[in-house]
Every structure is written in structure tokens, then in C-alpha cells.
Amino acid sequence: DLRLSPRPGLTAWLEQLLEDFEASSGLSVERVFRDVEQELSPEVQAQMVRIVQEALNNIRKHANAGHIAVHLRQWNGDLVLEVVDDGDGFALEDIPGGNKYGLRGMQERAELIGADFQVTSKVQQGTTVRLSLPLHSRETW
């Protein structure tokens, strides 16, 4: 459901998203939100939330994860958002071309807001989706 309405603050938006995900998937998500008091534009928040939505959708469909966590913190001048699971993991070269659209979409959304996007995964060791948004650029948002 990409129709979430803007809420005051990124953590509130994420909390709504995670509650909805837990209710619809039956999976629980650990939340680790630290030192986040940045005001971001609704557009930046929306792109970040949609990246998390896609990551959670991929976990639900493919990961067979027992543990999922969403981390949000400030670190070295960046706002860092991570979605971590302990699921099946994957090797990027093993993903059929048609199934890479979600990853490509997350990358494109990150580029739209000037964020660095990384996915790290190891077979049978889980996956981490990491978004780093430089806070110095937030004056332009």
C-alpha cells in the first residue's frame, strides 16, 4: 500500500508503516530509532518510506526471515535508515532480471533525494538495505 498519508516526522510515518506491515504479514519488526530529530520535507520522507515498504515487501515475499529490524539514526552527518533481516539472503547474480525491479526502484528513489543506497546480502545470512541521506543537504528539502 503506497498510499500512506504524510505524518508529522519520519519516525511517525515509519511507525504507521511497520504497524500495517505487522498486521498484514503476521511478522514482527524490531524498531531502533535513535537521535532522530531532523525535519525532512514530505517528499523526502515519502521516498524513504517507500524504500522501506519495498524492502519489507521483498522480505515478506522472498526472505523467510525470523527477525526483521528497522534502524534509524544519525551518523557522521547522515541520516541512516536500515532494514535488516536474518532470512535466506541472495546473490545478486542469482536474481532473474525481471525480479530486480524492486531493487532498481529503491535505488532510483534514493537518487531522487540525494541518498546513497546499498544492499548487502549473503546466502543463508540475511540482507541489509541501507539508505544514507546527507543531512547537510536538507536545507534544500
Side-chain angles (χ1 to χ4, degrees):
D1 181 11
L2 295 178
R3 294 184 193 102
L4 288 173
S5 299
R7 297 184 144 247
L10 181 59
T11 55
W13 247 30
L14 289 173
E15 188 59 43
Q16 178 188 351
L17 169 65
L18 297 177
E19 287 174 6
D20 292 349
F21 174 78
E22 289 173 329
S24 67
S25 71
L27 299 168
S28 64
V29 180
E30 176 186 5
R31 293 128 164 100
V32 183
F33 301 154
R34 295 195 177 118
D35 302 324
V36 178
E37 297 180 12
Q38 301 299 319
E39 290 189 28
L40 302 171
S41 75
E43 175 61 23
V44 170
Q45 289 182 81
Q47 297 303 335
M48 294 179 81
V49 166
R50 287 186 174 98
I51 289 167
V52 173
Q53 282 179 308
E54 183 62 33
L56 292 172
N57 188 43
N58 288 343
I59 291 169
R60 184 180 50 78
K61 285 183 178 178
H62 308 294
N64 297 313
H67 183 261
I68 304 166
V70 175
H71 302 261
L72 181 65
R73 68 185 185 281
Q74 289 179 228
W75 187 72
N76 284 347
D78 289 347
L79 184 61
V80 179
L81 178 61
E82 293 177 324
V83 180
V84 181
D85 73 71
D86 67 352
D88 294 340
F90 61 91
L92 191 57
E93 61 272 8
D94 293 339
I95 300 174
N99 290 340
K100 293 182 184 178
Y101 291 120
L103 292 173
R104 187 175 309 130
M106 288 188 280
Q107 174 71 47
E108 289 170 357
R109 289 180 185 283
E111 288 173 3
L112 281 173
I113 60 173
D116 179 55
F117 176 78
Q118 298 173 347
V119 177
T120 55
S121 187
K122 292 185 180 175
V123 176
Q124 301 304 316
Q125 294 182 25
T127 301
T128 299
V129 171
R130 184 173 199 252
L131 184 71
S132 297
L133 177 70
L135 291 175
H136 64 80
S137 66
R138 72 186 175 112
E139 286 80 26
T140 64
W141 303 116

